[in-house]
Amino acid sequence: GINAEYGGCLTAERDVQEGADILMVKPGQFYLDVVRRVKDAHPDYLLAVYQVSGEYVMVRNYAESSGKYEQVVIESVCSLKRAGADIIISYFTPELLEMMSKCNGVLSL
């Protein structure tokens, strides 16, 4: 298979050499190790992580069937943050903003 860790780090290095202001890892949910390695290698750069549509559908389907919808959605995004994301791009954003509005802007599990 493709060595995503190596490829992701090479892409980030090239982006830095080309003068990028922000680095991005996509998809993000299944490459948390790559997110962490890119952030560790380039701590002075903002790191954006995109939770792509396929990841969104999988998380949403599980969240709906689990009976713990909000908890699963929040954990899926928090895992990206813990891995090193400074910016998270997700189809859950409208729902996350609504959840945050109910709890003074603080999400908790």
Side-chain angles (χ1 to χ4, degrees):
I2 297 171
N3 186 336
E5 175 186 330
Y6 183 68
C9 292
L10 282 179
T11 301
E13 187 60 41
R14 184 186 66 228
D15 291 345
V16 167
Q17 290 174 0
E18 292 177 356
D21 295 318
I22 299 173
L23 303 177
M24 178 178 272
V25 174
K26 65 177 183 168
Q29 202 74 62
F30 297 109
Y31 295 99
L32 298 176
D33 59 327
V34 175
V35 172
R36 172 51 48 204
R37 289 179 190 270
V38 169
K39 187 61 178 179
D40 287 348
H42 305 286
D44 296 332
Y45 284 82
L46 288 174
L47 179 58
V49 178
Y50 181 21
Q51 189 180 45
V52 299
S53 60
E55 295 168 325
Y56 166 78
V57 169
M58 286 187 281
V59 171
R60 183 176 193 87
N61 286 342
Y62 175 72
E64 288 173 346
S65 68
S66 73
K68 298 179 180 181
Y69 185 84
E70 285 189 7
Q71 191 173 5
V72 170
V73 170
I74 292 168
E75 179 58 32
S76 77
V77 175
C78 287
S79 68
L80 299 170
K81 178 66 176 161
R82 284 193 306 272
D86 298 300
I87 300 165
I88 298 169
I89 302 166
S90 172
Y91 293 94
F92 285 116
T93 299
E95 292 172 71
L96 289 164
L97 290 172
E98 186 176 322
M99 289 176 205
M100 289 173 69
S101 74
K102 296 176 190 174
C103 56
N104 295 321
V106 178
L107 295 175
S108 61
L109 298 174

